[in-house]
Amino acid sequence: MVLATCTLIRCTAIPAHRHTRGNRTGKGSRFRPCKKTKNGMNKWLRYVRNRVVFRMTKFGKAFFTLLLLGLIGFGVYTRLSKAPVTADHKNKPGTTQVSQPGPSDGGSEDLSKLPEAMDGVPQIGASAPFVPQDNILLIELSTYAGYSGIIAANGGLEPNPNSLFAKYGFKVKLSLTEEESWPALNSGKLAASATTVDVLAAYGKQFNVVVPLQIGFSRGADGLIVNRNIKSINALAGKTVITSQFTEADFFLRYLAQEAGLSVAIRPSFAAKPDPERINVIYHENAGMAGELFLKLLTANDQQLAGTVTWAPTTTAVVDGSNGKAFQLVSKRNLLIIADILIVNRGFAEANPKMVAGLVEGILEGNRMVRENPEPHIAVLAKAFKWDAAQTRAELAKVHLSNLPENEAFFSGAINAAGSYGSIYYSATTAYGPELIKNPADSDRFLSLDTLKNLKKEGKFADQKISIEPLRSPSAGGTVEDNPLLSRNIRFLFLPNDDKLDMAKPTNIKDLDAIKQMLQTSPGSTVLLRGHVDNAQIPAFRKSGGEELVKRKAMDAFDLSKRRAAEIKRILIEKYQISDKRIDTIGRGWEEPAGTESDQNRRVEVQWFTLE
């Protein structure tokens, strides 16, 4: 009984920061909820209550209650007083013991126990349409400021006859929870919820929902924290990062690796040998605990982990607690690939298009109200989220609530300062790969954009403009960092000794698109195009004309590499409408060979600088 009680406590009483991302869990991204254990324990408690407690005398009930509380307390005490794990402890099945656990984290969690990595996305069950009762739509969200617009539109969480939705003939009941709601949404127990695009890509065809609206972007609630000696994403090759599986944190890491031309290897335990060519990832139960374990090892001078992807406020706690040993390499302040979308039960949406239209218009109006003047809504939002006014304002600063033209650009792919629906969806499927997303669905199968199109035709929100600006931290001084976030070698196919790019080659178009998307997903970011040429002819030049000929040819190589980089810049400006202020070029000739093969050296290296 004590063991079962301790399991119940672990699922329901973990300190809030361990399951929140900027006071948001990444709900819909966390695929490993504690439901099974908790539900089983709840059934046991109900059985005892119904069969035993209610048949006792008052004295018996009191005695039983005190006994139960005593056992729970004993279980908590046993867990808190557990001896630290050391390298001498043998691993238990499904867990990994850390060799040097460092100081206590001050909580009841044993941070050294790691869950087994999953080899695919869990199933969420059969689908059925949601049927509203009394014209009330049940919508489940997580505690995240990005959903402030819908709460403001509803005037709080409870059904409200004076809400913006009431004029469309229905009311909304909102609930905030940190449990997964996808089985409930799929089976018709909920009308709608919200998630991020990467989660939609992961669940794929089994997820019977439609997407009629983009709600907004995360702007700083997540971050990659690394050791001080790590200066770029590329420097993580062969090293290990800890995060939580199938969360937006996992996607963030995989996205950055992909942009750097690297892949991710799942390292099942600390005992497993890391892959020397890839970014290795170890998974914890959630990203908050991953950050805490990274800090624990770092302060104990254990170098097994090079970094962690976690969410606020753990990001701040790790950096502050590291005594200068760690820093935040990148966050999502200016890397807008975490996009929240409204997802609606498909059966309900198809049967009730007018309700969906009212829901979309109401949320857009709520976003407008909070975005233009948040102060009148602070009290309502603070009450809903159970924050104080100061925290509410601080959390609102970490999100961007989208308007109608930004929605239009997001779904069409025309948005120039943030990730688009199609690009994020594609990035998620390729970042996870066929090993984890075994049968990806086409992104279009989820889209239901008639309401957005009709609002534009009707002239609604006609005064709104796309406005996503870079956020500069005071310490950055408004300039990019000295070191690029990542470097990526791209081999554009030029004709021999020519500086004109062959636009008939599909690979050239693909690589140009990749550079454009780098700049699109991060407002304020810049790229440096570093041109290179092949050095294979140097021995022949030396044999033919000695060092004098080699020097002359080296100058020609510098000029050719510079002209090739300039050609890429010209195409990006003319064909892709990228501002010339965001692209720099330099020629490096044959001075920086990437290897012994000629193909490796006929390349343009793209260095990506982001604001932080």
Side-chain angles (χ1 to χ4, degrees):
M1 177 176 177
V2 171
L3 292 176
T5 303
C6 290
T7 304
L8 173 63
I9 291 171
R10 185 171 192 202
C11 289
T12 60
I14 293 173
H17 70 278
R18 290 195 177 158
H19 282 285
T20 58
R21 174 170 82 78
N23 292 303
R24 170 194 185 180
T25 62
K27 176 178 161 327
S29 302
R30 197 176 62 252
F31 291 170
R32 196 184 293 103
C34 301
K35 283 182 176 179
K36 183 176 180 181
T37 302
K38 188 182 81 170
N39 288 345
M41 192 63 186
N42 284 344
K43 290 178 181 178
W44 180 84
L45 289 173
R46 286 196 297 270
Y47 174 85
V48 172
R49 180 194 66 195
N50 295 336
R51 298 297 179 90
V52 180
V53 176
F54 287 163
R55 297 184 184 183
M56 289 182 179
T57 65
K58 290 183 179 180
F59 175 81
K61 292 180 182 179
F63 175 81
F64 184 86
T65 300
L66 290 172
L67 176 63
L68 181 59
L69 290 174
L71 288 172
I72 292 174
F74 178 77
V76 174
Y77 173 80
T78 301
R79 184 162 188 148
L80 289 172
S81 60
K82 187 184 296 183
V85 178
T86 68
D88 295 330
H89 284 68
K90 293 184 178 180
N91 294 350
K92 296 179 180 180
T95 68
T96 299
Q97 306 299 341
V98 180
S99 61
Q100 297 180 33
S104 171
D105 68 326
S108 61
E109 300 299 330
D110 184 353
L111 294 175
S112 63
K113 291 184 177 180
L114 305 179
E116 293 182 1
M118 292 180 286
D119 60 1
V121 181
Q123 298 298 303
I124 55 177
S127 63
F130 171 81
V131 179
Q133 302 296 319
D134 300 322
N135 281 331
I136 296 177
L137 304 189
L138 304 180
I139 300 178
E140 195 168 276
L141 305 170
S142 60
T143 305
Y144 171 55
Y147 305 140
S148 295
I150 187 170
I151 295 174
N154 201 46
L157 301 180
E158 294 303 314
N160 183 357
N162 299 315
S163 74
L164 296 182
F165 305 114
K167 66 179 181 178
Y168 301 100
F170 65 90
K171 290 181 284 188
V172 169
K173 179 176 176 57
L174 301 171
S175 58
L176 305 183
T177 178
E178 311 313 339
E179 295 287 340
E180 294 293 355
S181 59
W182 304 151
L185 180 60
N186 230 38
S187 63
K189 294 180 176 65
L190 296 171
S193 187
T195 190
T196 51
V197 175
D198 55 290
V199 173
L200 197 68
Y203 271 115
K205 295 177 182 179
Q206 64 170 320
F207 213 1
N208 205 21
V209 296
V210 297
V211 178
L213 176 73
Q214 189 228 355
I215 298 172
F217 289 101
S218 168
R219 299 214 68 172
D222 310 78
L224 170 59
I225 313 297
V226 295
N227 294 339
R228 272 288 167 190
N229 62 330
I230 301 294
K231 302 301 182 184
S232 70
I233 303 301
N234 303 75
L236 290 171
K239 297 180 173 59
T240 301
V241 175
I242 188 167
T243 189
S244 54
Q245 192 174 19
F246 288 126
T247 63
E248 66 269 24
D250 192 8
F251 169 58
F252 190 28
L253 175 64
R254 290 173 176 275
Y255 174 85
L256 292 170
Q258 184 173 251
E259 292 303 301
L262 298 169
S263 59
V264 171
I266 296 177
R267 190 177 170 192
S269 72
F270 283 95
K273 186 177 180 180
D275 189 312
E277 303 296 329
R278 305 164 76 184
I279 298 178
N280 298 271
V281 60
I282 283 180
Y283 291 121
H284 214 314
E285 183 176 328
N286 62 74
M289 295 174 70
E292 292 175 20
L293 181 55
F294 170 68
L295 176 61
K296 209 174 189 184
L297 296 179
L298 191 65
T299 54
N301 295 318
D302 189 317
Q303 300 299 313
Q304 293 185 85
L305 294 174
T308 180
V309 184
T310 186
W311 40 60
T314 307
T315 46
T316 303
V318 172
V319 173
D320 291 348
S322 71
N323 295 320
K325 293 182 178 180
F327 75 107
Q328 183 163 278
L329 180 63
V330 62
S331 73
K332 293 170 188 163
R333 284 167 56 86
N334 293 300
L335 187 52
L336 302 187
I337 57 165
I338 298 301
D340 286 277
I341 49 177
L342 179 70
I343 51 175
V344 182
N345 175 278
R346 184 181 291 272
F348 164 75
E350 292 173 349
N352 301 275
K354 291 184 179 180
M355 284 188 176
V356 175
L359 189 60
V360 168
E361 185 171 353
I363 295 174
L364 284 173
E365 179 60 21
N367 278 3
R368 183 195 65 77
M369 296 188 307
V370 177
R371 179 166 160 168
E372 292 182 0
N373 187 14
E375 283 305 312
H377 311 287
I378 293 295
V380 169
L381 298 175
K383 180 180 179 181
F385 291 131
K386 298 181 180 179
W387 300 335
D388 59 27
Q391 185 178 8
T392 303
R393 294 186 185 95
E395 296 302 327
L396 282 173
K398 299 175 185 176
V399 300
H400 176 90
L401 304 178
S402 294
N403 61 23
L404 179 58
E406 288 163 356
N407 261 267
E408 182 183 18
F410 175 75
F411 287 112
S412 69
I415 197 164
N416 289 321
S420 65
Y421 172 80
S423 67
I424 296 173
Y425 192 99
Y426 175 77
S427 293
T429 56
T430 55
Y432 283 116
E435 297 83 7
L436 296 174
I437 303 180
K438 297 178 173 58
N439 189 20
D442 187 85
S443 61
D444 289 344
R445 83 182 300 270
F446 298 103
L447 296 182
S448 180
L449 306 179
D450 287 346
T451 298
L452 293 177
K453 295 175 182 176
N454 290 336
L455 289 172
K456 183 175 178 58
K457 288 179 182 178
E458 295 167 4
K460 300 287 182 68
F461 306 104
D463 60 329
Q464 293 183 337
K465 306 293 182 184
I466 296 176
S467 179
I468 301 178
E469 299 297 329
L471 300 177
R472 293 175 171 85
S473 63
S475 61
T479 61
V480 299
E481 299 289 341
D482 292 335
N483 296 313
L485 174 63
L486 58 86
S487 297
R488 180 174 179 178
N489 285 328
I490 296 178
R491 296 177 184 88
F492 288 103
L493 299 178
F494 288 89
L495 296 174
N497 299 313
D498 197 349
D499 59 5
K500 298 303 177 187
L501 188 65
D502 186 354
M503 294 299 288
K505 298 290 185 181
T507 55
N508 285 343
I509 303 300
K510 179 181 178 181
D511 290 335
L512 287 166
D513 287 339
I515 298 174
K516 177 188 176 183
Q517 287 182 17
M518 277 185 174
L519 293 167
Q520 277 187 320
T521 58
S522 181
S525 65
T526 61
V527 293
L528 173 62
L529 306 176
R530 307 178 83 253
H532 303 270
V533 299
D534 180 24
N535 64 349
Q537 294 300 313
I538 293 178
F541 294 147
R542 184 172 287 115
K543 183 177 181 180
S544 175
E547 292 303 321
E548 190 64 31
L549 179 59
V550 171
K551 290 180 180 178
R552 291 201 306 270
K553 291 297 184 180
M555 294 301 297
D556 292 341
F558 265 104
D559 182 64
L560 177 59
S561 66
K562 184 176 180 179
R563 286 186 283 116
R564 284 177 171 176
E567 171 73 352
I568 303 302
K569 177 177 180 177
R570 181 192 67 79
I571 296 172
L572 289 170
I573 293 171
E574 295 179 4
K575 181 177 175 61
Y576 293 92
Q577 289 77 53
I578 303 297
S579 170
D580 65 341
K581 296 179 180 179
R582 302 184 69 185
I583 309 171
D584 288 323
T585 62
I586 189 173
R588 296 300 300 147
W590 60 41
E591 294 299 313
E592 298 175 3
T596 57
E597 299 295 328
S598 294
D599 286 346
Q600 291 178 302
N601 298 320
R602 288 194 294 264
R603 73 193 195 279
V604 172
E605 181 187 12
V606 182
Q607 292 185 339
W608 191 23
F609 297 81
T610 61
L611 291 170
E612 189 55 50

